[in-house]
Amino acid sequence: MSRSSAPPIFGETRLTTRRLESLAGRIDAEREGGIEVRTPITDDEICRIPDCDEADVDAAVERAREAQASWERVPVDARAETLRRFGDLVLERREQLLDLLQLETGKSRRHGVEEVLDVPLTSSYYAERGPSMLADERRGGAIPLATDARVTVDPVGVVGIIAPWNYPLTLAVTDAIPALLAGNAVVLKPDEKTPFIALALAELLEEAGLPEGVLEVVTGEGPTVGPALIDRVDYVAFTGSTETGRTVAERAGRNLIGCSLELGGKNPMIVLADADLEAAARGAVQGAFTNAGQLCLAPERIYVEESRYEDFLDAFVGTTRRLSMGLEFEYGPDVGSLIDGAQLERVESHVAEAVESGASVLSGGRHRPDVGPYCYEPTILTDVDPGSRVACEETFGPVVSVTPVADIESAIEAANDSPYGLNASVWTADRERGVQVAREIDCGTVCVNDAYTAGWAAVDAPMGGVGDSGLGRRHGPEGLRRYLEPRTIAVSRLGPLDAPPGVPASAFVRILSGLTQFRRRLMRWL
Ligand code: NAD
């Protein structure tokens, strides 16, 4: 691969071209050419990565399959210990990882920290709780006392993980952690815009003691590497857009392998009349503008009971206008950059179309090339046409609309008027009422008095979407079980459960009927 001189931006970091080239060198693939990776901070190329093809994917899956056979036999407590060490290493090396994360994504350092902390949170959860989820489980037998049943679990084998660019640190590994704990190997395909953070994490996993080959990384174009991977693995965990998710599901279906699909959203936030408006405004700012709005859980539609609409807007607009923008490699600025020109174009077109159809811009609404080539101001819209793209489609940028609603029922109806169902939030002084409203909202996660962090960081609870937001769940026992193949072992103490020799069929049916009734009563008592 051709060697380029480091762009000046490297001087602000702990990174060098040599370091990135050594990370790219971890990929066992053709070195010539490759794909250029650019930083959104200056739009300079920072390094190239191998453009893997089907043969490279094939070789990576083969290596993973070979390594998996031994990894599965490592005692689960030792596998858990490796993951604990990995979490500690991520915390220890956080400043270097944050430099790389910021360089690849342009996100503000304070938003990057969320990703770093998420890794030890997830690894310690599965290291502590995961082993008991893998233990044999007794289940009810067919005939009480005469037969029993137990469930044992095996790893599915090799898990393919396809990750997006928006949270490339945490989404590269937090789906891998339960898969590895369960004894699977993983082949990870990061987004082509953000491969280096994934490679740095693979390096740390190895340093933590993960044997070579148990986690392989393949880089390259999604439409080439993605399908090649799905055709070779035993399960695929995909995070990305709904459009790509459908093609992943189709391919997984053809191959008869399981898949989880963590897709897009158009997340509603409901502010009830009794809410603490200052807290709701802070929550709206955190939710809508974290990572410049490129967060799948970000609220993009806010509904406020009309008696408090103006007060909420005052608080929200005031807090938003105080946000600082910047691209420094330190904890100062609140909001960083969008990932690239395509994302900027999408954000600009959503806002322009909204304004053309009558929306007002209360804050932001401008591209800020003076801050960075792809920076866009945190933007609040009102009077948005319900049919416009900004009202219906995921913007995935720092843009949110605020709409008054007559009452709670109208708020719930508006919130549910979407094909998506990923995340929502309800803001109220009455937490119990918040929970009641949450039960009415068609989303995989609903937070009360928080925009998304309380739900996301509850690692013990499942997370995922309904409708166009996806299938399956990450986190909690559900996030581990997707990577397991359960086996039922049933033992009979009576020999074959069939009519004994010499017993007429009619008598046997009477015996079975009696046993069925006995079983029903027993199940009620137990
Ligand atoms: P994308 O679907 O374009 O890309 C995601 C990944 O899929 C990348 O690694 C890409 O290379 C790969 N890919 C592209 N084409 C492929 C194909 N034909 N087969 C297999 N893989 C392919 O997504 P994006 O637009 O880059 O990411 C942003 C989207 O991800 C947003 O919609 C966002 O809401 C969603 N997202 C969802 C979650 C969640 O947890 N639900 C989290 C983060 C992002």
Side-chain angles (χ1 to χ4, degrees), residues 68-69 71-73 79 134 155-157 178-185 484:
Q68 191 271 330
W71 177 242
E72 178 181 6
R73 287 196 292 275
R79 297 200 299 260
L134 300 172
V156 290
L180 294 171
L181 182 87
N184 295 287
L484 298 173

Side-chain angles (χ1 to χ4, degrees), residues 162-167 171 189-193 220-227 230 238-245 247-248 261-265 295-297 343 346 394 396 422 456 469 474:
I162 302 179
W165 48 263
N166 66 326
Y167 278 69
L171 294 179
K189 185 231 156 310
D191 191 280
E192 41 280 47
K193 292 188 267 295
E221 302 289 352
T224 306
V225 174
I230 301 166
F238 173 82
T239 305
S241 63
T242 300
E243 196 186 349
T244 311
T247 71
V248 169
L261 306 166
E262 305 285 346
L263 311 178
L295 165 69
C296 55
L297 307 171
Q343 203 58 30
R346 178 180 169 126
E394 185 181 46
F396 219 52
L422 189 58
W456 175 267
S469 291
R474 55 162 59 106

Side-chain angles (χ1 to χ4, degrees), residues 254-410:
R254 260 206 309 282
N255 292 332
L256 289 181
I257 60 166
C259 66
S260 54
L261 306 166
E262 305 285 346
L263 311 178
K266 189 72 191 174
N267 308 300
M269 166 170 169
I270 295 178
V271 183
L272 301 184
D274 67 349
D276 172 343
L277 294 188
E278 285 302 322
R282 275 191 288 119
V285 165
Q286 185 200 15
F289 305 132
T290 287
N291 195 24
Q294 301 163 116
L295 165 69
C296 55
L297 307 171
E300 293 196 356
R301 309 177 279 148
I302 303 182
Y303 302 104
V304 188
E305 274 199 87
E306 60 195 3
S307 60
R308 309 298 305 283
Y309 178 64
E310 294 297 338
D311 294 339
F312 172 77
L313 274 181
D314 284 348
F316 186 28
V317 170
T319 314
T320 301
R321 286 194 180 145
R322 285 193 291 277
L323 293 174
S324 58
M325 296 184 74
L327 298 175
E328 288 103 71
F329 286 81
E330 54 189 55
Y331 290 99
D334 294 308
V335 181
S337 178
L338 294 169
I339 191 79
D340 62 11
Q343 203 58 30
L344 174 65
E345 217 178 285
R346 178 180 169 126
V347 168
E348 285 189 304
S349 71
H350 274 212
V351 174
E353 188 196 282
V355 170
E356 267 166 39
S357 55
S360 307
V361 179
L362 297 201
S363 183
R366 285 183 309 158
H367 173 209
R368 290 289 300 273
D370 54 314
V371 182
Y374 306 123
C375 287
Y376 194 88
E377 289 176 339
T379 300
I380 302 174
L381 302 176
T382 55
D383 307 309
V384 161
D385 174 354
S388 62
R389 279 197 298 158
V390 85
C392 310
E393 291 178 20
E394 185 181 46
T395 305
F396 219 52
V399 179
V400 61
S401 63
V402 190
T403 306
V405 285
D407 49 29
I408 299 180
E409 287 68 36
S410 323

Side-chain angles (χ1 to χ4, degrees), residues 27 37 65 120 138 177 188 275 391:
I27 310 273
V37 181
R65 210 168 275 295
R138 280 218 171 270
I177 285 167
L188 166 65

